[in-house]
Amino acid sequence: MSRVTVSIDPHVHSDDSYDGHEPVELILEHAAEIGLDAVVITDHDVIGESKRAAAIAAEYGLIGIPGVEVSTAHGHLLAIGVERMPPRRRPYDETVAWIHEHGGVAIVPHPFQRSRHGVRERNIPVPDSADRVGEATAESDGGGAAAEAAEAAGVPEVDAIEVFNAWLFTGYRNRRARRFAAKYGYPGIAASDAHHLEYVGRAFTEVEIEGRESSGAVTADDVLDAIRNGTTRVDGRRAPIRMAAKHYVGAAGRKSGYYARTGAARSTTAARRAVAEVVSTLRVAVSQGAHRAARVLSWVT
């Protein structure tokens, strides 16, 4: 059977999010330039720009997938592949069930990091029987075991865990998320959680799609099914040292070009701000490089 691997950044914020900064057109342009096949706009508790980004993604050669980062009663939750805004402030399990009912996948973002509204481990709905989960995991190839066990136990289970979030600075909670995903047999997802253009794609997920000859033939439903089935691989890095020249300087140029083309009133200010951000980021990267290099082994283990 034919198969293809696509690269997706499933957790990115646009200027429709209260803490985002970039228009979706610029994000899509940048994603295509750096070699991603899809980028999911997951603004906080609003979905309008994400749906618009999904609708125009094909113009940039990308797969269009809508999504949102919804605030539940217990922390944030990514709803990928939904066309409507999930109810806010509802219990985690109820929100997961709503996402499934509307054809989406539920992914736990930056788990356990309470300063960023990550869910506590005790609030992630898992099957009641640990033995049942263990048996399902042992029989599985690593993807979908928790979902199968949850179905048997009647639990509205999440579909994947964000095991690599590029904004988790020390790496401790990324490692904890990986251990949690491994314990319950969840697929792992990596994402940039970008709020500025230059961070888009700093972490991403490779998704293997069966039955397709090329990435151009892959649909949003194909990607959602692959996540549910666990055919995912994570890639990315927290420290922007190696990617600085390619991503940050390139992003500044794309910002300037975008605003020049669109004739936006803030073009000059935006371009200057982009350059200033690049310079600032590079300075930080250089000053912290020695310290981070000493911790490389702890990051990848």
Side-chain angles (χ1 to χ4, degrees):
M1 179 181 293
S2 61
R3 63 183 62 188
V4 64
T5 298
V6 296
S7 299
I8 174 175
D9 188 344
H11 186 179
V12 174
H13 296 273
S14 79
D15 58 6
D16 203 32
S17 202
Y18 71 87
D19 54 356
H21 298 272
E22 321 294 357
V24 295
E25 291 89 349
L26 188 51
I27 294 172
L28 294 172
E29 178 183 308
H30 183 69
E33 287 290 333
I34 64 174
L36 291 175
D37 297 295
V39 58
V40 185
I41 304 299
T42 52
D43 292 323
H44 290 290
D45 297 318
V46 289
I47 198 171
E49 283 299 275
S50 181
K51 290 173 62 177
R52 190 169 72 85
I56 65 175
E59 299 175 15
Y60 299 84
L62 301 174
I63 306 163
I65 308 171
V68 63
E69 185 169 6
V70 58
S71 299
T72 78
H74 300 111
H76 289 175
L77 180 64
L78 296 180
I80 308 299
V82 298
E83 296 283 346
R84 292 172 51 193
M85 180 65 211
R88 298 176 58 194
R89 308 298 179 188
R90 302 303 302 161
Y92 219 74
D93 57 350
E94 287 185 19
T95 311
V96 171
W98 188 98
I99 293 169
H100 290 165
E101 289 169 3
H102 290 78
V105 295
I107 300 174
V108 181
H110 43 74
F112 320 133
Q113 190 178 22
R114 296 301 297 159
S115 63
R116 297 174 63 216
H117 308 287
V119 64
R120 296 180 188 275
E121 184 170 342
R122 67 172 178 265
N123 293 129
I124 300 177
V126 296
D128 294 331
S129 171
D131 292 337
R132 184 180 266 166
V133 174
E135 292 170 4
T137 303
E139 295 172 359
S140 171
D141 60 1
E148 293 172 5
E151 183 178 355
V155 177
E157 191 51 52
V158 298
D159 299 287
I161 304 291
E162 192 177 74
V163 300
F164 193 106
N165 179 290
W167 282 104
L168 295 184
F169 188 74
T170 66
Y172 165 72
R173 286 184 175 83
N174 277 335
R175 292 193 294 273
R176 183 180 171 190
R178 288 200 299 271
R179 290 194 295 269
F180 182 86
K183 176 180 179 180
Y184 290 103
Y186 293 135
I189 298 295
S192 68
D193 196 0
H195 292 69
H196 292 82
L197 186 68
E198 53 267 32
Y199 292 95
V200 173
R202 196 167 89 175
F204 59 92
T205 303
E206 291 186 338
V207 182
E208 189 174 274
I209 311 293
E210 293 189 348
R212 301 296 183 189
E213 297 288 346
S214 67
S215 59
V218 174
T219 67
D221 287 338
D222 292 334
V223 174
L224 299 181
D225 287 341
I227 292 174
R228 294 185 186 103
N229 294 332
T231 56
T232 62
R233 293 190 299 273
V234 302
D235 198 352
R237 53 189 64 82
R238 292 192 309 280
I241 299 171
R242 290 178 56 195
M243 299 176 69
K246 178 178 179 180
H247 283 255
Y248 301 116
V249 176
R254 271 185 280 279
K255 280 188 181 183
S256 300
Y258 172 81
Y259 289 116
R261 291 195 307 275
T262 59
R266 56 176 177 163
S267 59
T268 301
T269 301
R272 288 175 179 172
R273 186 183 299 117
V275 173
E277 288 174 355
V278 171
V279 173
S280 176
T281 301
L282 289 175
R283 284 176 177 170
V284 172
V286 171
S287 66
Q288 295 182 347
H291 174 70
R292 290 174 176 171
R295 304 187 65 178
V296 167
L297 290 178
S298 68
W299 292 352
V300 298
T301 57

